[in-house]
Amino acid sequence: MIELLVRNLEARDTLSSSEIGILQRIIKNDRLVPKGGDIVVEGSRPAESTLLLDGFAARYRVLEDGKRQITALHVPGDFVDLHAFLLKTMDHGVLALSECKIATAAHRDLGGVTATNAHLTRLLWLSTVIDGAIHREWIVAMGRRSKRSHLAHLICELFSRLSIVGMVEENTIRLPLSQAEVADVLGLSLVHLNKTLQTLRADGLIRWVDHQITVLDWGELSQIAEFDPAYLCLNREAR
């Protein structure tokens, strides 16, 4: 149940067998959440944090006029709300963008980890730090990048994150999001998203068919995106 989480953490540092054992012990209660269901409800006070085992999820806010903004995407192997351990009251919701399989770690057990295992605590802390780094990149992309660069950057980021957990095959990922949901991620209208997507297709950089995205020219796509994966902390080193 924790295989993808271990891959995620070990992309940054080495876990000991005892640390893996701790994670196996505290992460439990796997279940399915249907597409469109809330994994975490805004305003709630969860007593556990949720690990995404399979599927795609999103943090989001809904404004009074009903408009939705997706503020983060989560892929298998991510804790979607580890920060809830300290935040207590959730200031956003977490939505299942596809059918999701999840498991949970009780906050009382996470508290035990922080009291007894400094290294594992730092690695879990690192995952929330990386969430913050991703959020900063999204703000820069939304505020300053062109629509074309923004979409290219999102694709490059997802390829890098999914590669960590072994979910890239022959330069292809599965992205089970509708174009309307991708538009929400980018803060674009559906019309602008379609126009931007067509330019990347026409230039032979990607193929996007039936939720399958294939990168045809990584070098050119990453150059358009100005993509530097340093913010994802992919170097394995002592933390």
Side-chain angles (χ1 to χ4, degrees), residues 39-55:
I39 297 173
V40 183
V41 177
E42 182 177 348
S44 65
R45 291 178 61 87
E48 66 279 321
S49 288
T50 302
L51 174 67
L52 185 59
L53 303 177
D54 190 33

Side-chain angles (χ1 to χ4, degrees), residues 199-228:
T199 67
L200 296 181
R201 283 172 167 161
D203 289 343
L205 303 180
I206 65 167
R207 183 169 58 247
W208 192 329
V209 180
D210 294 334
H211 301 296
Q212 302 277 348
I213 305 176
T214 301
V215 173
L216 304 174
D217 188 338
W218 176 265
E220 182 65 20
L221 186 71
S222 59
Q223 184 173 345
I224 289 170
E226 298 181 341
F227 182 69
D228 180 354

Side-chain angles (χ1 to χ4, degrees), residues 104-182:
T104 57
H107 288 168
R108 63 179 179 275
D109 292 331
L110 290 171
V113 171
T114 63
T116 61
N117 193 309
H119 180 251
L120 183 54
T121 297
R122 289 195 298 272
L123 283 184
L124 293 175
W125 181 17
L126 177 63
S127 71
T128 66
V129 171
I130 293 170
D131 284 346
I134 291 171
H135 188 60
R136 288 189 292 275
E137 285 293 320
W138 280 35
I139 290 173
V140 171
M142 191 167 290
R144 295 301 180 187
R145 297 190 192 281
S146 68
K147 296 177 180 66
R148 177 178 165 90
S149 177
H150 192 179
L151 178 56
H153 196 278
L154 177 66
I155 293 170
C156 290
E157 179 185 294
L158 289 174
F159 264 76
S160 298
R161 293 170 64 190
L162 289 168
S163 179
I164 296 169
V165 292
M167 297 183 68
V168 176
E169 295 183 8
E170 298 181 351
N171 295 322
T172 299
I173 62 170
R174 176 167 175 75
L175 184 65
L177 278 67
S178 68
Q179 288 197 5
E181 288 166 334
V182 176

